[in-house]
Amino acid sequence: MENNVPDLKKITGRPKLRTDFPGMYCPGCHYGIIARLLCEVIEELGIEGKAIGLAGVGCSFGGMPLTIDVDWTSCPHGRAPAMATAIKRIHPDATVFTVQGDGDLGAIGLGCFMNALGRGENLTTVFLNNAVYGTTGGQMAPTTLLGMKTTTTPLGRELKTSGYPLHIPELAATMKGVSYSARCTVHTPANFQKARKALKIAFQKQLNGIGYSLVEFVSACPPGWGLNPLDCLDFISEKMLKEYPLGEFKNVDSLD
Amino acid sequence: MSDRIFVSGNNAVARGAIQAGCKYFFGYPITPQSEIPEYMSRELPKIGGVFVQSESESGSIYMVYGGGLAGERIMTSTSSPGFSLMAEGISYLAETEIPAVIVNVMRMGPGIGTGGQGGQTDYLQVTKGCGHGGYRAIVLAPASCQEIFDLMQVAFFLADKYRTPVLLVTDFILGQMDEPIELRTLEFEPLPKKDWALTGKEKRGGNRAAHIAAFFTYGGVVNYHMKQIEKYKEIKKAEVRYETYMAEDCDLLIVAYGSSARIARGAVDMGRNKGLKLGLLRPITLWPFPAEQISQLSSKVQKVLVVEDSQGQLIEDVEASIKTSVPVHLLGMWARHNTGGGGIIHPERIIEEVEKINGK
């Protein structure tokens, strides 16, 4: 067997912050990749000792805290920014971040999120947009595409009854308290590297004490979408990124 | 000799909290408690604390939750409609056993009710686990400004000791009335260090703290409940607080709490002057409820009269405490001298009721 192994060069390893917890995400889900990216960026910035994560309700709830070896709490649906506000005000030296899905942040928690932006809290949010409620079985999310079938839009999301998909980083970019707002994906190696850069900038804004920073990850939910993991990658390229363009929407070094 | 000052019940809430070492307040304006956030917004920055005005009571309670997780003494205050919004968060505080103090300056409900009218219509809500899941929270019900000031300190101590949300309930009357108070510091037994608090793991020697809901933390929600059941037994054994007044030889025992108990106490004096042998038991903790004490006293009297400024809520716990066939009467909000904003139950009306049930 050993003879058949080609001469491989090790270019990466398991992040130090990745716990021994085996993982709880479905095959083809991108959350595990994003968790890894979080581990790597937190390590690169050397902030693992003062990082405090808050996971919203949904697939972030148990998976992120069990996977990444920093201080964590899971949060009630949509309320992570309020909880993070108090933690950061009490421990200003800590790096406080929330990981929230599209239902958690964009639907039930939108008011809480917008008010935290309005106050210009010095926090970082990782917003996971897979366009469905994954944990509850694939219902419509505020970010579900028009025409996209979910268990509560069996004929596809209709504009007339369910309105438009929600664009969180674009919305956040309009807020004075926001220093950084970007959208990325991890569905190709090149995008993974860009996402690393965006996440690092977002944390750096907090370390510099400048307002609220936000990174959206457009990511796949194979069971929610009814697609296999490979087709999900095409769906992201062909459908999701048409509605949700990648890039930075705001990047400032000081607030007005 | 400590300083004596003349303050409102709401002011006593805020001062009592600061006396207890609370430096973080998260709140939202609502009548009749807005003097509490106003005082905190003015005073906390002076002592290196933080005041945040949230976007709603839902925002407040989750800031409190975050602040409690961060390991500090934190609180919020609200009034009835806001308290309903907080109920969800209190359930989460109970689940993750995070200490917090929540003050409800009750106003008459349901719904929007009215900010300018007193009432004790949240008794069932505060005592029966106001959010989902059937948890219990310690409920303190002071009846004077001094007692508000003192019990705020007790509230923070009990919250930390048992790792539980503690509710302190007053009402429009207690919140808005002024009385002299002594600014005294109460002494408590030492408390364990909050090694579970979220601070960043470097402050814990590299070992992280993680609060990932009862399902993960206790290896199942039933295991969580098993632990709570034991904790509740301990609290019931150690923390029941009540006060009696002329109850030793009374024929008719009045049971009342908070502002109604003050009025009932006046009625006891009035009745005694008329030869009526009245006595009073005032629960100070609404949970744990002084059931045993009411049971014992009720076995020695002919009648029990519950006085409460509501439709009849406290009476459910009183009736459940009594094991004999002694009749239990109720004097509720219909006994107010008028149905408008300033209506209250006067002591004379209580005497009138006593005479009525005595068959005179």
Side-chain angles (χ1 to χ4, degrees), chain A residues 49 65 68-69 71 74 77 91, chain B residues 88 200-202 204 208-209 211:
Chain A
I68 306 171
D69 184 23
D71 274 12
S74 46
H77 38 223
H91 300 307
Chain B
E88 178 199 60
K201 65 181 183 178
E202 68 188 8
R204 230 174 294 96
R208 74 177 184 143
H211 298 265

Side-chain angles (χ1 to χ4, degrees), chain A:
Chain A
M1 280 298 282
E2 219 170 90
N3 293 339
N4 294 336
V5 177
D7 186 18
L8 293 175
K9 189 177 156 207
K10 185 176 175 183
I11 55 165
T12 186
R14 190 184 175 85
K16 277 205 304 272
L17 288 180
R18 181 64 173 80
T19 63
D20 293 336
F21 181 71
M24 60 189 290
Y25 293 127
C26 306
C29 174
H30 290 178
Y31 284 18
I33 302 171
I34 296 161
R36 182 202 169 90
L37 196 57
L38 270 163
C39 288
E40 290 183 1
V41 168
I42 291 170
E43 279 173 29
E44 279 171 37
L45 291 168
I47 53 172
E48 58 267 38
K50 52 183 188 171
I52 301 174
L54 295 98
V57 164
C59 294
S60 352
F61 187 79
M64 291 291 169
L66 291 169
T67 306
I68 306 171
D69 184 23
V70 298
D71 274 12
W72 275 98
T73 182
S74 46
C75 303
H77 38 223
R79 309 295 170 231
M83 292 172 66
T85 293
I87 293 174
K88 182 72 181 183
R89 299 281 190 115
I90 289 171
H91 300 307
D93 294 338
T95 306
V96 183
F97 66 100
T98 75
V99 181
Q100 301 177 258
D102 39 55
D104 183 82
L105 186 149
I108 196 165
L110 187 61
C112 185
F113 172 70
M114 292 303 287
N115 277 287
L117 301 187
R119 291 192 302 269
E121 299 292 343
N122 191 208
L123 299 169
T124 303
T125 285
V126 175
F127 172 51
L128 308 178
N129 173 10
N130 60 11
V132 287
Y133 282 74
T135 311
T136 46
Q139 295 81 14
M140 182 185 72
T143 49
T144 297
L145 303 178
L146 287 174
M148 193 171 171
K149 283 184 183 172
T150 70
T151 59
T152 49
T153 53
L155 303 175
R157 180 174 183 169
E158 273 187 274
L159 179 59
K160 203 167 69 181
T161 52
S162 306
Y164 297 94
L166 194 60
H167 297 75
I168 291 294
E170 289 91 332
L171 184 62
T174 66
M175 302 292 286
K176 283 190 171 179
V178 172
S179 57
Y180 187 72
S181 162
R183 180 181 291 118
C184 53
T185 74
V186 292
H187 81 303
T188 67
N191 277 293
F192 180 86
Q193 296 307 333
K194 284 184 194 164
R196 178 203 302 276
K197 208 174 143 192
L199 197 55
K200 216 167 160 178
I201 297 172
F203 276 116
Q204 196 61 55
K205 297 289 180 195
Q206 184 179 160
L207 294 173
N208 296 347
I210 316 163
Y212 209 110
S213 50
L214 164 82
V215 181
E216 172 179 323
F217 287 84
V218 172
S219 42
C221 180
W225 294 358
L227 297 173
N228 69 44
L230 271 179
D231 289 343
C232 283
L233 302 183
D234 292 338
F235 188 83
I236 288 179
S237 298
E238 290 159 20
K239 299 278 172 45
M240 290 290 280
L241 297 189
K242 296 269 185 311
E243 181 70 32
Y244 299 113
L246 301 178
E248 285 182 356
F249 300 93
K250 190 170 183 186
N251 183 352
V252 294
D253 290 328
S254 66
L255 301 179
D256 294 342

Side-chain angles (χ1 to χ4, degrees), chain B residues 262-328:
Chain B
R262 291 174 71 99
I263 296 163
R265 192 182 167 108
V268 169
D269 287 339
M270 214 176 266
R272 289 272 173 171
N273 287 338
K274 295 180 85 170
L276 294 164
K277 287 175 87 176
L278 306 184
L280 172 69
L281 186 142
R282 174 172 74 91
I284 297 172
T285 47
L286 302 184
W287 193 87
F289 192 70
E292 188 55 41
Q293 292 75 12
I294 289 175
S295 169
Q296 280 173 16
L297 274 176
S298 68
S299 67
K300 297 186 221 155
V301 300
Q302 272 89 56
K303 294 176 185 86
V304 173
L305 173 63
V306 176
V307 180
E308 52 179 322
D309 196 8
S310 76
Q311 320 87 314
Q313 301 187 21
L314 168 68
I315 192 171
E316 292 188 10
D317 279 342
V318 174
E319 282 179 333
S321 305
I322 293 175
K323 295 177 183 69
T324 63
S325 57
V326 62
V328 181

Side-chain angles (χ1 to χ4, degrees), chain B residues 40-348:
Chain B
M40 291 304 210
S41 71
R42 195 168 65 236
E43 297 302 323
L44 287 181
K46 294 181 193 168
I47 56 167
V50 171
F51 167 85
V52 181
Q53 181 165 329
S54 66
E55 71 275 16
S56 68
E57 288 87 351
S58 174
S60 303
I61 197 68
Y62 288 113
M63 288 178 191
V64 161
Y65 187 12
L69 279 162
E72 290 295 326
R73 286 194 159 177
I74 38 80
M75 72 166 293
T76 186
S77 63
T78 186
S79 181
S80 307
F83 189 77
S84 286
L85 271 179
M86 290 183 181
E88 178 199 60
I90 298 169
S91 171
Y92 282 84
L93 286 164
E95 182 196 21
T96 41
E97 301 188 282
I98 299 305
V101 174
I102 299 112
V103 174
N104 180 2
V105 184
M106 289 186 282
R107 66 193 225 184
M108 190 170 283
I112 193 77
T114 168
Q117 186 158 339
Q120 296 181 310
T121 45
D122 295 348
Y123 180 88
L124 290 173
Q125 187 186 26
V126 296
T127 56
K128 306 302 173 197
C130 45
H132 61 283
Y135 61 88
R136 296 289 190 173
I138 296 172
V139 187
L140 301 171
S144 71
C145 292
Q146 182 69 58
E147 198 178 24
I148 291 171
F149 182 79
D150 293 346
L151 287 185
M152 282 304 293
Q153 297 176 62
V154 173
F156 279 101
F157 168 74
L158 293 177
D160 283 344
K161 181 176 179 185
Y162 294 102
R163 284 190 60 180
T164 177
V166 174
L167 316 178
L168 184 137
V169 290
T170 66
D171 59 16
F172 183 91
I173 295 175
L174 290 169
Q176 298 296 326
M177 72 181 190
D178 284 19
E179 280 186 324
I181 65 167
E182 188 188 327
L183 294 171
R184 59 192 179 199
T185 308
L186 305 187
E187 299 292 332
F188 298 100
E189 67 190 72
L191 289 162
K193 202 164 167 267
K194 295 180 179 178
D195 55 1
W196 46 264
L198 297 180
T199 55
K201 65 181 183 178
E202 68 188 8
K203 291 184 184 162
R204 230 174 294 96
N207 298 315
R208 74 177 184 143
H211 298 265
I212 324 175
F215 176 73
F216 294 101
T217 312
Y218 296 86
V221 183
V222 172
N223 291 339
Y224 157 81
H225 282 297
M226 303 296 272
K227 189 184 165 199
Q228 303 312 305
I229 288 165
E230 289 310 310
K231 183 168 44 176
Y232 297 159
K233 274 187 201 160
E234 206 185 315
I235 294 173
K236 278 185 179 176
K237 217 167 112 186
E239 304 302 343
V240 170
R241 286 168 185 252
Y242 65 98
E243 183 187 70
T244 55
Y245 182 61
M246 303 196 126
E248 304 75 30
D249 64 339
C250 66
D251 295 332
L252 185 147
L253 178 71
I254 299 175
V255 182
Y257 74 98
S259 59
S260 294
R262 291 174 71 99
I263 296 163
R265 192 182 167 108
V268 169
D269 287 339
M270 214 176 266
R272 289 272 173 171
N273 287 338
K274 295 180 85 170
L276 294 164
K277 287 175 87 176
L278 306 184
L280 172 69
L281 186 142
R282 174 172 74 91
I284 297 172
T285 47
L286 302 184
W287 193 87
F289 192 70
E292 188 55 41
Q293 292 75 12
I294 289 175
S295 169
Q296 280 173 16
L297 274 176
S298 68
S299 67
K300 297 186 221 155
V301 300
Q302 272 89 56
K303 294 176 185 86
V304 173
L305 173 63
V306 176
V307 180
E308 52 179 322
D309 196 8
S310 76
Q311 320 87 314
Q313 301 187 21
L314 168 68
I315 192 171
E316 292 188 10
D317 279 342
V318 174
E319 282 179 333
S321 305
I322 293 175
K323 295 177 183 69
T324 63
S325 57
V326 62
V328 181
H329 300 269
L330 172 67
L331 191 64
M333 56 169 69
W334 50 88
R336 286 174 164 216
H337 78 291
N338 71 48
T339 54
I344 59 167
I345 304 168
H346 284 300
E348 291 83 355

